[in-house]
Each structure stands twice: as structure tokens, then as C-alpha cells.
Amino acid sequence: MIILGIETSCDETGVAVYDTARPGAEGLRAQALYSQVALHAEYGGVVPELASRDHVRKLLPLVRQTLAEAGLAPSDLDGVAYTAGPGLVGALLVGAGAARALAWALDVPAIGVHHMEGHLLAPLLEAPDLEPPFVALLVSGGHSQLVMVEGIGRYRLLGETLDDAAGEAFDKTAKLMGLPYPGGPQLAALAEHGTPGRFKFSRPMTDRPGLDFSFSGLKTQVLLAWRDSDQSDQTKADIARGFEDAVVDTLAIKCERALDATGCDTLVVAGGVGANKRLRAKLQAMAEKRGGRVAFPRPALCTDNGAMIAFAGALRLEAGQHDDASVRVAPRWDMASLPAVA
């Protein structure tokens, strides 16, 4: 099957074509991504109405571009997958409306994909030998979750954030230190020049049992350290390094606990924060020490993208699953409610 994937959950318009006849990453025939960072920069965050309108402007040109790069015509498509949630309702409706209209015109099936399932399955695109069961760490701007994956569509939540997600904490911490939007990547880049250990922040909720996360208190610690410092460029880098080390250590500790609790030796990491170099190195070292395995998607597939939606949708469409002709989205959507794929 040749599947068109559309991602419009927030501030990035992603389109991709995936061919199930080709193994793994070879099936990714073409993809395109447009980021709205410049549009939202002056506001210091995503403005939902502006995001929706920009998706309207960019989506169809990106679909045409992606099909052309894949050497395909619309009539070559066997199905359409689109992000149906969670996300910004207006942005989701743009992708869902376009996908449903295209599927109706071509008389092919369409399916709404759970955004976080797209992230979760992205590592399988480049590691087709990776099979459940495994533990997944999903870390993005809006989510920090540990999930037990017993099969595709068979997910059990092990732990989640009680307040700010890891990516959200990165962005908010960067903003309070005066870094430009989007702050998370800026803070991670600044931390590369920081002195390890000069600022030591707590590893939240690691002093008690459990697999839940909390990063709001860590953000407050950084704020107090920043206010009491000389606020020089080096101090800014040192605080950034201390913050990043705290987040990375916390995530690693919780991941190891989750592996112990489930008896798994395989960890999958996905979502925007999964591109963080220090997190990747820490989890890789942990997996090697345990004699296990950790899998990451390439950094370009950690952020929101059409490839993960095309791939996740293809797995479900191949299994015979599809939606009716209604245009429906779910700004909030529990991943545990998804049907299993045989």
C-alpha cells in the first residue's frame, strides 16, 4: 500500500508518502515539513488561530510537492492517514478535512492517527526488527510518558508528568532566562558550553517510588538561581547545563525503573526531547550496562513530521482498520483507548 500521511497537530505542517512494499526506512518515498517557528516567534509561543490559518496555506502545496518528489500521482495512493489528535483543534481540523476530502475523491480508505502513537512507532521505521514488548519513553513539548508496549495498539501507561512535560520545562526555563523562541533547542545548545556541576538542581520525584514525573519545581529552582546570579553569559550556560543534567538524569532514572518493573530489556525513545544529545548518550550507556537495547528515531523524525503519521497509518490500514467519512478530531485522546493491531 502507498499511504499519504498528514500531520497538522500544532505548529508544523508535515506530509509524507510511505510504501509498505519496501522494508523499513526504504518505504519512505518522500517527505516535506514546514515549520511555523518564525510566525510565532514574536509572540513567544504558538498562537492557535495563526497556526490553523498557516496550515491552510501550506498543506496542499506540500502535498503536491511530496507526491512530485515521490514520482507519484494522487491516483497512485491506496490510503490517507492524518493526525486526529491530540493537538490544537483548529490545526487538527485542517489536516483532517483535507485528508478526508482527498480520500473521498480518490475512493480510498482514510484513518485518523493518534499523534503520540505516531511518535512511539517512529523508531520502528528505521529498526524493523524491533518488536514488542518494550518500554517507550515519549518526551515532547506536551507529553512526558512511560508506556508499556505489549503490541501495536496495546499500550499500558506506566507513568506520566503531573505538571510540565520535559519539553515544556525546557521551553519555559529558556524563556525565563531570556532565550529566544523556541527556547528548548536554544537552551540545549547553550548547555554545551556550560560547566558541569557548577549548578546542581534536584532530580524531581526520584527520591520516592513510582514512575511519574514533575518538572515545575525544577523550573522554579532555575528561576531562583538565575535571579541570584550575575547573569553573565557563562553563568547562563552553566545554569542551562545544570538544568539539562537534572532533566536527563531524572528521565534516565525513571526509564531504568520502568525496565526493572516490567522485566523488559528494550527501551524506545521518541518525541522532540528524544533528539537531545545528552539524553541519547545517557540512555545508550544505561542500556549497554544492562545488556539491553535502546532505539531512537533519527533526530529529524523526533519532532512532529508526516513520516511517522504515514507509517503508523499504514500499519493500521494494512490491518483493515479505517474510519468512516466523518471529519472528527480529538484534542484530548487517551492512547490506551486505541484498538489493537493483530
Side-chain angles (χ1 to χ4, degrees):
M1 296 182 76
I2 298 177
I3 306 301
L4 178 73
I6 294 174
E7 153 63 20
T8 62
S9 65
C10 189
D11 60 343
E12 286 163 318
T13 312
V15 179
V17 174
Y18 187 77
D19 186 348
T20 62
R22 302 183 182 189
E26 292 181 21
L28 188 57
R29 299 277 294 267
Q31 64 170 324
L33 184 69
Y34 171 76
S35 174
Q36 299 178 0
V37 165
L39 174 67
H40 301 289
E42 65 177 296
Y43 305 101
V46 177
V47 181
E49 179 64 20
L50 294 181
S52 301
R53 293 184 181 194
D54 215 35
H55 286 308
V56 171
R57 284 190 291 266
K58 300 296 183 181
L59 180 55
L60 292 183
L62 280 180
V63 169
R64 296 188 189 101
Q65 174 189 328
T66 305
L67 289 174
E69 290 178 359
L72 298 170
S75 57
D76 294 319
L77 297 175
D78 298 305
V80 182
Y82 59 94
T83 302
L88 303 175
V89 63
L92 291 168
L93 283 169
V94 175
R100 293 281 3 160
L102 183 59
W104 178 82
L106 298 174
D107 194 23
V108 297
I111 190 165
V113 173
H114 193 291
H115 179 76
M116 295 311 295
E117 183 178 53
H119 277 302
L120 187 154
L121 297 177
L124 277 64
L125 231 172
E126 298 174 299
D129 64 316
L130 183 62
E131 294 183 354
F134 54 77
V135 171
L137 172 66
L138 304 178
V139 275
S140 65
H143 298 82
S144 289
Q145 297 177 328
L146 280 164
V147 178
M148 179 63 197
V149 179
E150 296 164 348
I152 297 175
R154 296 169 57 205
Y155 308 126
R156 179 164 52 91
L157 182 65
L158 301 174
E160 62 183 339
T161 185
L162 304 180
D163 41 56
D164 290 344
E168 191 177 10
F170 263 96
D171 288 338
K172 290 182 177 179
T173 300
K175 187 173 183 178
L176 69 85
M177 292 172 62
L179 296 177
Y181 174 86
Q186 301 277 352
L187 189 146
L190 185 62
E192 294 292 323
H193 307 286
T195 304
R198 181 183 170 195
F199 288 90
K200 181 82 171 177
F201 301 116
S202 66
R203 277 54 176 163
M205 297 185 70
T206 59
D207 59 347
R208 68 193 79 172
L211 296 172
D212 288 330
F213 304 95
S214 172
F215 295 106
S216 61
L218 175 59
K219 182 182 62 183
T220 303
Q221 290 180 46
V222 173
L223 174 62
L224 295 175
W226 176 244
R227 285 178 175 175
D228 295 339
S229 74
D230 58 14
Q231 299 190 3
S232 66
D233 289 344
Q234 186 57 52
T235 296
K236 185 183 289 189
D238 294 344
I239 290 176
R241 177 61 186 268
F243 170 81
E244 185 181 58
D245 283 346
V247 173
V248 167
D249 286 351
T250 300
L251 293 173
I253 290 168
K254 297 287 185 173
C255 284
E256 187 153 27
R257 285 185 186 177
L259 292 171
D260 288 339
T262 59
C264 285
D265 60 4
T266 301
L267 176 68
V268 163
V269 183
V273 182
N276 183 277
K277 294 179 181 178
R278 195 158 282 117
L279 177 63
R280 285 180 173 240
K282 185 88 174 181
L283 294 178
Q284 186 67 53
M286 180 198 74
E288 291 176 358
K289 183 178 179 181
R290 295 173 60 93
R293 176 184 182 184
V294 60
F296 309 90
R298 71 182 90 156
L301 295 183
C302 287
T303 56
D304 295 350
N305 61 85
M308 68 183 192
I309 302 304
F311 179 65
L315 294 177
R316 291 190 173 274
L317 287 168
E318 271 203 317
Q321 298 182 13
H322 60 84
D323 296 330
D324 60 31
S326 302
V327 178
R328 288 190 297 266
V329 297
R332 296 180 180 274
W333 190 1
D334 183 3
M335 196 165 65
S337 68
L338 294 174
V341 174

